[in-house]
Amino acid sequence: MRLLGVLGGMSWESTVTYYQLLNRGVRERLGGLHSAPLLLHSVDFAGIAALQHAGDWDEAGRQLASAAQGLERAGAGALLLATNTMHKVAAAIEAAVDIPLLHIGDAVGEALRAQGVTRAALLGTRFTMQEAFYRERLGERYGIEVLVPDAAGMEEIDRVIYQELCQGRFLDASRAFYLDELERLKDRGAQAAILGCTEIGLLLEGVEAPLPLVDSGERHVAMGLEWLLGR
């Protein structure tokens, strides 16, 4: 197996899931006492979140690029950035290292294309939903049209992510709200829904949703496993 670097902590709630799924995936494939050879750099999310909300993406990119360089120096052969929103600064990270960044947008795009989806709903932080970096990658590389909630829906989805999910709170009322938003997006023509924040899968785990769900974290882990196992 190869050594995979994970850049996490944004939030640590979902980074825990990455760690668990990567190890479970290796055990399922190789059996016995096998586990995933990983290097983890977990940032203090408070500082990154402050930079997000201040719009200082350049500084956020510099900080994550520096962390990525540390993982490369420690021996990582590829990187997983365990967050959707911070893929906004993926180019800064890629420019700072000589190892591949396994992009979460590609993991999602490949899964949607395999399902024959051409119009997908997107739930995530307001940065992921409003800005172009995620939608353009899915559109330009995979021919997928992305639908997002209206302004009020985006505001509440974003509030739940930062004030609840990233703090380990998973409330029934918020779960119901997310499902209602998916129903509205289905009515607008969405064929599937991207859980475009790595915490949303924790909120909707095990529920019956109005659309097929593509969990970005799970798909990203699958991409990481393929690289780690050299397949």
Side-chain angles (χ1 to χ4, degrees):
M1 287 187 285
R2 298 185 283 188
L3 184 60
L4 178 64
V6 179
L7 187 49
M10 299 164 280
S11 69
W12 69 260
E13 294 285 346
S14 63
T15 303
V16 168
T17 301
Y18 268 73
Y19 184 79
Q20 290 174 329
L21 292 178
L22 285 164
N23 280 290
R24 286 175 186 165
V26 168
R27 183 175 61 190
E28 288 168 2
R29 288 161 176 77
L30 300 182
L33 296 177
H34 285 290
S35 57
L38 303 172
L39 293 172
L40 171 63
H41 184 130
S42 186
V43 304
D44 179 0
F45 190 33
I48 297 295
L51 292 171
Q52 290 176 344
H53 288 90
D56 194 350
W57 296 100
D58 288 343
E59 177 57 24
R62 282 191 288 271
Q63 291 188 17
L64 294 187
S66 177
Q69 288 173 330
L71 289 170
E72 182 179 29
R73 287 194 299 270
L79 296 172
L80 284 184
L81 177 58
T83 161
N84 283 272
T85 297
M86 294 314 298
H87 277 76
K88 179 174 169 63
V89 300
I93 295 170
E94 289 170 326
V97 296
D98 294 320
I99 57 177
L101 175 70
L102 307 180
H103 200 291
I104 200 168
D106 294 332
V108 169
E110 289 167 7
L112 291 170
R113 185 163 61 185
Q115 296 175 22
V117 172
T118 57
R119 302 187 81 197
L122 172 62
L123 303 184
T125 67
R126 63 183 174 87
F127 308 111
T128 302
M129 292 185 289
Q130 289 178 343
E131 300 193 29
F133 70 96
Y134 207 91
R135 290 182 282 107
E136 285 184 353
R137 194 173 190 100
L138 291 177
E140 292 172 2
R141 295 196 175 202
Y142 301 97
I144 296 165
E145 179 185 358
V146 175
L147 305 177
V148 296
D150 62 19
M154 284 194 282
E155 182 178 356
E156 178 62 8
I157 289 165
D158 184 80
R159 184 199 68 78
V160 167
I161 290 169
Y162 283 98
Q163 296 184 22
E164 297 177 14
L165 307 187
C166 288
Q167 299 181 42
R169 301 171 62 215
F170 305 96
L171 306 181
D172 290 341
S174 297
R175 185 175 296 107
F177 179 81
Y178 274 49
L179 293 173
D180 286 345
E181 285 297 318
L182 290 179
E183 189 68 54
R184 283 188 277 273
L185 289 161
K186 179 182 179 180
D187 291 342
R188 288 169 51 193
Q191 301 162 299
I194 305 163
L195 305 186
C197 173
T198 48
E199 287 81 14
I200 297 176
L202 301 173
L203 178 68
L204 299 185
E205 185 176 6
V207 304
E208 183 175 345
L211 287 167
L213 303 179
V214 175
D215 187 317
S216 60
E218 290 182 358
R219 300 315 310 162
H220 204 200
V221 165
M223 175 181 277
L225 283 169
E226 292 302 306
W227 181 88
L228 192 152
L229 295 166
R231 299 178 181 175

